[in-house]
Amino acid sequence: MSLSTDPYPSRLKESEDRIDPFIRTDPVVHSGNENRWRGPLDEITLSRYERDGFLWIEGFFNQERMEPFFDELREMAQDKELMASDQVIQDPKTGEIRSVFAMHELSEHFNRLTRDPRILGMVRQLLGSDVYIHQSRINDKVGFEGSGFNWHSDFETWHSEDGMPHMRAVSASLMLTDNNEFNGPLMLIPGSHHYFIPCVGETPDANWKDSLKAQLLGVPDQKALARMANRGGIQAPKGPAGSLMLFECNILHASNQNMSPWPRSNLFFVYNSVENLPVEPYAAKSERPEFLGTREKTSSLTMHDDFPKLA
Ligand code: 6CS
Ligand code: FE
């Protein structure tokens, strides 16, 4: 893909000229003026999302509602075949589960959660269209040792390696355990989503086999990171299990190792607009597996309701 046709060039060759961070061309809230007032998010909340690139909703679900999901994860850990599959990523240090991908394909319970009316309503409003799940995962950090995640923009990876054309996706991250300052909560740089930071380093074949254990490529250089953090600061929202983080696909984020005895498990659903379907990867030789970025299951999600059907 040549620079002139790629709106977000990254994974540049070492020998190539560097490209400075630049302001994104895509909107942050995609509902046009005629639709954005329809809710469920009000104008003040939408403006905050536009400015910061994330919304933190403490206690979105009550804590008890999260327990069955956590139990299901523990059950999955007993499934030897699943544990040996590519969609389970082991922590490089401890060998414990780091990530399980395509959670919504493994479990009806998780699938239903992706179609929760409250979540889907907000996501559709932000993306201004119907949506589908590009990727889902659990990121798990066991007590004392669970490893962290380097600074990155998710969109940089999804564009370069999955062929996601535009910034029209949002992640909903649901806390399955409490997130506190000690167990490696998500850190974000408010406002960084306004800029695209081209990264140096070509994508090797099957990069995902390494990048999901420790991301080394698609990580902005320290000068660019410092510029963003000096401008926007760093925030790490904390709260009980059941809290929800909605974050824009291009916001810079990272997390530390878990230094506490308490596990940290967060569920992530990545919603993409049905008007932003992936094309060929922009900066990788081949597509990633279906469980990392779907190309097959892109039909619009319908809301799930919990009311029993009348006979
Ligand atoms: O590869 C992915 O799709 C996700 N995982 C990592 C480590 N970085 C980018 C994105 O969040
Ligand atoms: Fe990420």
Side-chain angles (χ1 to χ4, degrees), residues 4-213:
S4 56
T5 54
D6 183 354
Y8 298 112
S10 194
R11 311 293 168 103
L12 310 176
K13 290 194 183 80
E14 294 284 348
S15 58
E16 248 175 300
D17 288 341
R18 305 286 188 261
I19 305 174
D20 283 334
F22 58 89
I23 293 179
R24 67 191 276 167
T25 47
D26 293 311
V28 177
V29 173
H30 293 262
S31 283
N33 284 339
E34 69 286 6
N35 282 325
R36 67 182 271 157
W37 59 270
R38 289 175 196 266
L41 297 169
D42 63 21
E43 183 54 37
I44 292 178
T45 312
L46 281 180
S47 307
R48 210 171 65 232
Y49 177 83
E50 235 156 16
R51 184 193 64 190
D52 295 341
F54 69 91
L55 291 174
W56 170 247
I57 310 176
E58 197 169 314
F60 184 79
F61 289 119
N62 67 35
Q63 223 157 319
E64 295 73 60
R65 190 151 168 219
M66 294 300 103
E67 279 161 21
F69 291 105
F70 199 58
D71 293 342
E72 204 166 333
L73 181 64
R74 297 288 146 243
E75 257 171 53
M76 282 181 192
Q78 306 303 316
D79 181 338
K80 289 212 173 70
E81 199 181 324
L82 173 65
M83 288 302 113
S85 75
D86 276 347
Q87 76 193 82
V88 176
I89 309 296
Q90 259 112 29
D91 189 296
K93 229 172 80 185
T94 63
E96 304 261 4
I97 298 179
R98 173 172 168 86
S99 304
V100 182
F101 282 89
M103 290 300 297
H104 70 301
E105 298 289 338
L106 293 172
S107 144
E108 181 51 30
H109 209 181
F110 284 94
N111 186 293
R112 238 183 291 146
L113 195 57
T114 64
R115 295 180 288 113
D116 178 272
R118 289 199 296 161
I119 299 179
L120 213 45
M122 294 188 288
V123 165
R124 284 179 184 165
Q125 187 185 11
L126 294 173
L127 301 184
S129 68
D130 276 335
V131 299
Y132 71 95
I133 299 287
H134 174 73
Q135 178 191 92
S136 78
R137 64 184 188 275
I138 274 191
N139 284 348
D140 208 18
K141 289 182 187 172
V142 293
F144 292 122
E145 303 202 281
S147 304
F149 289 81
N150 233 338
W151 286 108
H152 64 280
S153 141
D154 291 335
F155 176 76
E156 194 279 340
T157 294
W158 299 333
H159 182 72
S160 302
E161 298 192 30
D162 296 338
M164 184 184 283
H166 290 284
M167 296 176 184
R168 197 170 174 183
V170 61
S171 290
S173 177
L174 196 56
M175 317 290 135
L176 295 186
T177 59
D178 295 358
N179 275 232
N180 54 46
E181 53 267 73
F182 315 111
N183 66 357
L186 193 67
M187 304 187 286
L188 307 114
I189 301 184
S192 58
H193 63 302
H194 293 299
Y195 303 88
F196 185 74
I197 306 177
C199 300
V200 177
E202 282 180 281
T203 315
D205 291 342
N207 178 44
W208 58 273
K209 292 196 174 167
D210 299 318
S211 70
L212 302 176
K213 288 183 188 283

